[in-house]
């Protein structure tokens, strides 16, 4: 028997299967989709079995495989196909696509193995001979259930060892899973209201149709409640459900709500250890879970017989992976829902313009939940003009927000404050000579983090001690510009000394479970004010929060991107949606220096449609998506001379091969240098894709053997 094995040769960006021989002894163990260990040059490599063949005509010496790694395929037939789809969609390699689909423990990589955990289970083997009363206690315990864990029996008394030695009892090693689920929560089940019922009926009546729905429902309209009802229906039909949510909402509430209602849930997110991930994956694979809830990569969960795929907060950028393979989980979801012939539900309070445009054209079926569910009303939103307002004690807090906060504190209601920037301040600048401290690896200023007195690079992770004397002019007048969450926290504690404040941003949530702890204690009322970055904007449901303050709505407005209006509108709508989610009426205060900007005024009126119409005009005029498609070609190298020469060559090639498309650039990457790699971008703008992928594939292939230059292609990039 011969097999074709796909291995990862990380130094080369190539995809190649190699043929190996399998001796008779191992051949019965070979299946498509398992991993095997093979000799390669002078190393041993793990690879995936892609094909089993009987004849060979290779021009190299065919070697024998060393061993078989898996009993069961880890790449099912569907996953094998999905990998090819991802490769074709993203122009990456097949091997990198498969690796991205699998948890670490199952990638074809050598070293650092994650183990399966076993538990010692004791059973009765052969009940003969005299039994003492103490021994009888042990046997009675086992008889209760037929088997019992060794540790448990050992706790009763130690005669278990004697019984084992005599052969009366025997030990079996049984696979167990690491416990990932945490505290259960009681969550009331709601009778769907009429609007929810309409949405439910439409989808429930089409469970055997591959329709993509866009569920546009304002925050708090009860989308999650509808999802749960649908999932219940799907499970009653003995099918499975896949629910994707943004990474950050995952560790908390939505999961607890689901767990209150379903019992065979598997969860996949980056907060799990490798071992936990592996165990969850195995539970799914064995059919022990019928619901998978997870972030982006769980779109590849090895669920069989999928009956519905739901993507909540589908506008979230993180559904698109920003490293190779740069797949879009929503596109993969479309493909998987097609294979499984089931509906795909995209839910959001602020769909992307692209999604809403598709729905308007009938490519997606539009469903609406225009009102908040239950007794909750849409919060009252006040725009606070920071050019005119008094700042309390020179802080970032306006008089209006200050008064509102005090009012809510006296009512013992809770407050969420959003400051969309982490760290104590964005940069430390010398007010004498203008010096700012830059990252030695990247073309970017370091961010000052006060708690640890560190200067950090947010791109490569470089960190160094804070300086007190300017290295250029030797003055000691280094000042912090900007206002990160840490600085605001200090201001808030100053202005409201009686309030209990908790901060949530990347810095306070690095440790495992930290995110969950903050959310849980805030929801229990242990804090009055939750201050955070956009991390707090999505999905959270705290009934006692009646005030949301957006400290600086302009931060996202002036990021140079064609999407900055849309991002600003989203962010305001999403955080505003955290206020007044139960009977108590909610308020929102938006602080801005641009009170008349349409993204801000329309967000404050909750008018998505008006925003959509106006912004679509801008996109049309600017020739941006969804009217035009964009694709970014990034060329990177550690060699500045080389890359600045090649980039122009590449531009010329693209121009000549893509006469129907606009080829824009090259422009410098922002930042230009990351991790000592210089980066240039070329942007391609077009109406019709045609042979774009072929041309780009040729380009990538051409540079494959050139290890000094890396080419990356991003379709529909998030950031430009
Ligand atoms: P979304 O996912 O659209 O933000 P949720 O499903 O979280 O909305 O619902 C918002 C709030 O309204 C939750 O507290 C939820 O329990 C409640 N809710 C949802 N549906 C109903 C209903 N039919 N009747 C009463 N309350 C409801
Ligand atoms: Zn200086
Ligand atoms: Zn850096």
């Amino acid at each position: 028997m011969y097999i074709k094995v796909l291995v990862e040769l990380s130094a080369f960006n190539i995809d190649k299967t190699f043929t190996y021989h399998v001796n008779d002894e191992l051949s019965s163990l070979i299946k498509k989709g398992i991993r095997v260990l093979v000799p390669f040059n002078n190393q041993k490599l793990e690879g995936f079995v892609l094909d089993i063949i009987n004849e060979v005509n290779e021009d190299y010496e065919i070697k024998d495989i060393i061993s078989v790694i898996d009993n069961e395929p880890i790449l099912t037939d569907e996953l094998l196909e999905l990998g090819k789809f991802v490769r074709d969609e993203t122009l990456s390699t097949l091997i990198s696509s498969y690796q991205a689909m699998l948890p670490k423990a199952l990638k074809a990589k050598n070293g650092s193995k994650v183990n399966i955990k076993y538990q010692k289970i004791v059973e009765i083997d052969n009940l003969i001979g005299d039994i003492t009363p103490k021994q009888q206690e042990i046997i009675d315990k086992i008889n209760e259930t037929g088997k019992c864990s060794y540790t448990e029996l050992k706790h009763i008394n130690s005669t278990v060892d004697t019984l084992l030695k005599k052969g009366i009892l025997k030990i079996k090693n049984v696979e167990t899973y690491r416990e990932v689920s945490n505290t259960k929560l009681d969550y009331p089940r709601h009778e769907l209201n009429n609007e929810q019922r309409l949405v439910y009926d439409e989808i429930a009546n089409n469970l055997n149709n591959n329709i993509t729905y866009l569920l546009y429902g304002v925050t708090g309209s009860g989308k999650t409640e509808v999802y749960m009802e649908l999932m219940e229906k799907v499970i009653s039909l003995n099918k499975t459900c896949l629910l994707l949510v943004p990474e950050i909402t995952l560790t908390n509430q939505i999961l607890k709500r689901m767990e209150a209602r379903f019992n065979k849930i598997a969860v996949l997110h980056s907060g799990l250890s490798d071992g936990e991930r592996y165990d969850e994956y195995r539970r799914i694979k064995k059919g022990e879970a019928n619901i998978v809830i997870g972030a982006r990569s769980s779109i590849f969960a090895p669920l069989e017989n999928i009956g519905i795929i739901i993507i909540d907060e589908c506008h979230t950028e993180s559904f698109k992976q920003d490293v190779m393979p740069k797949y879009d989980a929503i596109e993969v979801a479309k493909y998987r829902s097609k294979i499984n012939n089931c509906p795909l539900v995209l839910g959001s309070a602020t769909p992307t313009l692209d999604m809403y445009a598709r729905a308007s054209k009938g490519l997606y079926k539009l469903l609406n939940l225009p009102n908040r569910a239950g007794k909750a009303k849409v919060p009252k939103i006040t725009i606070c003009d920071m050019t005119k307002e008094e700042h309390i004690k020179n802080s970032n807090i306006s008089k209006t927000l200050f008064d509102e906060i005090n009012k809510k504190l006296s009512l013992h209601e809770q407050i969420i404050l959003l400051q969309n920037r982490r760290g104590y301040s964005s940069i430390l600048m010398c007010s004498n000579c203008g010096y700012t401290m830059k990252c030695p690896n990247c073309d970017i200023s370091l961010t000052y983090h006060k708690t640890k007195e560190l200067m950090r690079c947010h791109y490569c992770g470089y960190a160094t001690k804070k300086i007190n004397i300017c290295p250029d002019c030797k003055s000691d007048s280094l000042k912090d510009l900007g206002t990160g969450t840490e600085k605001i926290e200090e201001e808030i504690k100053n202005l409201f000394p009686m309030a209990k404040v908790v901060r949530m941003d990347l810095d306070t949530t690095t440790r495992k479970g930290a995110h969950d702890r903050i959310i849980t204690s805030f929801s229990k009322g242990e804090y009055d004010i939750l201050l955070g970055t956009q991390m707090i904007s999505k999905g959270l449901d705290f009934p006692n929060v009646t005030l949301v303050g957006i400290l600086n709505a302009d931060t996202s407005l002036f990021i140079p991107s064609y999407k900055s209006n849309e991002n600003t509108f989203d962010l305001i709508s999403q955080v505003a949606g955290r206020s007044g989610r139960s009977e108590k009426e909610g308020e929102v205060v938006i602080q801005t220096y641009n009170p008349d900007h349409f993204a801000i005024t329309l967000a404050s009126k909750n008018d998505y449609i008006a925003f959509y119409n106006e912004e679509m005009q801008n996109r049309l005029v600017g020739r941006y998506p969804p009217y035009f498609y964009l694709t970014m070609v990034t060329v990177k190298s550690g060699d500045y001379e080389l890359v600045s020469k090649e980039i122009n060559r590449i531009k010329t090639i693209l121009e000549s091969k893509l006469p129907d498309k606009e080829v824009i650039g090259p422009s410098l990457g922002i930042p230009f240098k990351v991790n000592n790699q210089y980066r240039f971008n070329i942007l391609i703008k077009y109406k019709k894709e045609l042979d774009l992928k072929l041309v780009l594939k040729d380009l990538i292939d051409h540079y494959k053997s050139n290890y000094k230059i890396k080419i990356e292609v991003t379709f529909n990039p998030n950031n430009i």
Side-chain angles (χ1 to χ4, degrees), residues 168-232:
I168 294 174
L169 301 181
K170 66 176 175 191
I171 275 194
K172 250 174 48 183
N173 276 324
V174 176
E175 278 185 43
T176 58
Y177 301 120
R178 297 159 181 89
E179 197 67 51
V180 295
S181 183
N182 32 26
T183 47
K184 291 240 162 155
L185 206 76
D186 265 343
Y187 205 95
R189 181 196 183 105
H190 298 286
E191 194 68 32
L192 296 187
N193 62 34
N194 287 342
E195 287 172 346
Q196 288 171 314
R197 176 64 52 194
L198 282 175
V199 171
Y200 171 83
D201 284 346
E202 162 64 31
I203 303 172
N205 288 332
N206 282 291
L207 288 178
N208 287 317
N209 287 323
N210 177 222
I211 300 175
T212 300
Y213 291 100
L214 177 61
L215 172 54
Y216 163 50
V218 299
T219 53
S221 58
K223 296 184 290 296
T224 310
E225 211 67 32
V226 174
Y227 302 154
M228 291 197 283
E229 207 78 15
L230 285 165
M231 287 157 69
E232 205 157 66

Side-chain angles (χ1 to χ4, degrees), residues 52-63:
I52 302 170
I53 46 179
N54 295 319
E55 280 174 40
V56 286
N57 52 349
E58 310 291 8
D59 53 5
Y60 50 84
E61 181 207 348
I62 293 186
K63 296 187 181 150

Side-chain angles (χ1 to χ4, degrees), residues 430-435 470-475 477-478:
C430 172
S431 56
N432 189 36
C433 75
Y435 168 88
C470 169
D472 274 9
C473 74
K474 312 291 176 220
S475 90
S477 36
L478 288 159

Side-chain angles (χ1 to χ4, degrees), residues 439-444 446 457-462 673-675:
C439 174
N441 311 318
C442 309
D443 177 31
I444 197 97
L446 296 177
C457 171
H458 284 187
Y459 281 84
C460 74
Y462 171 86
K673 191 174 90 173
V674 173
N675 258 328

Side-chain angles (χ1 to χ4, degrees), residues 2-4 17-21 53 56 58 60 62-63:
Y2 296 93
I3 53 176
K4 293 205 166 190
T17 55
F18 293 93
T19 303
Y20 286 88
H21 177 254
I53 46 179
V56 286
E58 310 291 8
Y60 50 84
I62 293 186
K63 296 187 181 150

